[in-house]
Amino acid sequence: MIDQSTLYKYLVSGRLSLVSLTQALVVSEQLSFHKAGDTLGIAQSAISNRVASLEDAIGFPLFERQRNVRLTPHGRIFLEFISDAIDLVGKSLEISGAPIEIHRPAVRVGLQSAAAAGPLAAILRRFDAAQPDIGLTLMETDDSDVLKCVRRRKLDIAFLPCRAMTERLSHDVLDALPLWDEQVVVALNQDDPLAAKSRLHWKDLVDREFLVRSHV
């Protein structure tokens, strides 16, 4: 029998997480990874991968994955104990009298001032309205502290228009992904030295004054 100290180490390492144990238990009840995903609102592949990692950690398969999902003999015994443990957690909450509330997950999205009232914000608001199980909180940010906010988990996602920022994050602990490119058309006098160029960069305009539209 596994000793308490070893069990604690397993739990702390994440090899025996409560999430993976619960997902495996739901699969055993439904005898289907697909139905378990529907029950928990999680992708079938995510549950399958997590259960496979759990099986690697404990050293034996919980399920036979053929045409139909079936419990292995060891899996049945293991998950019976897990079911009893989950029931004890529920009873402890009942004894404490603590109300159990399931909150809608909230995703904090950082937008720069120009985007906070633009088409990107409108797209995100439409997404928020179409996905009642996910709450988006749009927060106006600026370049000086947006990365600090993400690192400190005050923001979950930040939309940044600067490609240089994305390139700088390519080897950072944060994940960065370029989503789209936009072209800006500049009207110049025909005798302007820049008019001879077929393509301009922001550095070409850094010392210039020019007008931009306030709405796209």
Side-chain angles (χ1 to χ4, degrees), residues 19-203:
V19 173
S20 60
L21 294 171
T22 304
Q23 290 182 2
L25 189 59
V26 176
V27 173
S28 72
E29 293 170 352
Q30 301 288 342
L31 291 179
S32 166
F33 286 92
H34 180 74
K35 291 179 180 178
D38 289 343
T39 299
L40 297 172
I42 302 170
Q44 173 185 341
S45 58
I47 294 180
S48 181
N49 291 337
R50 193 179 289 275
V51 170
S53 296
L54 173 62
E55 290 172 326
D56 288 341
I58 60 180
F60 56 84
L62 297 173
F63 303 100
E64 294 179 1
R65 297 168 174 82
Q66 297 174 351
R67 288 187 177 180
N68 299 314
V69 176
R70 294 186 300 176
L71 280 162
T72 63
H74 285 91
R76 185 178 303 279
I77 296 171
F78 179 83
L79 290 173
E80 283 177 0
F81 281 105
I82 296 303
S83 179
D84 291 341
I86 297 294
D87 287 342
L88 288 174
V89 172
K91 288 178 182 178
S92 68
L93 290 173
E94 291 176 3
I95 292 172
S96 70
I100 303 175
E101 298 180 8
I102 300 178
H103 299 282
R104 186 168 78 143
V107 179
R108 296 158 298 183
V109 181
L111 298 174
Q112 287 191 328
S113 301
L120 175 59
I123 291 171
L124 292 172
R125 290 191 182 96
R126 287 200 298 271
F127 175 86
D128 187 43
Q131 301 292 332
D133 295 332
I134 302 174
L136 294 186
T137 302
L138 305 186
M139 304 171 66
E140 192 171 325
T141 61
D142 91 21
D143 287 343
S144 62
D145 63 358
V146 63
L147 296 182
K148 186 186 300 182
C149 289
V150 176
R151 286 193 174 93
R152 294 182 177 178
R153 300 191 178 183
K154 294 180 180 180
L155 289 175
D156 299 301
I157 300 172
F159 288 91
L160 303 175
C162 180
R163 176 180 291 275
M165 185 73 72
T166 302
E167 291 172 350
R168 195 182 75 184
L169 287 175
S170 61
H171 300 293
D172 197 278
V173 294
L174 305 179
D175 288 329
L177 177 68
L179 296 179
W180 70 84
D181 289 321
E182 294 182 4
Q183 290 186 340
V184 176
V185 178
V186 180
L188 299 166
N189 291 326
Q190 63 180 5
D191 57 349
D192 191 301
L194 294 180
K197 294 187 175 184
S198 61
R199 183 183 296 269
L200 299 177
H201 301 278
W202 284 116
K203 63 182 180 181

Side-chain angles (χ1 to χ4, degrees), residues 52 205 216:
L205 302 171
V216 176

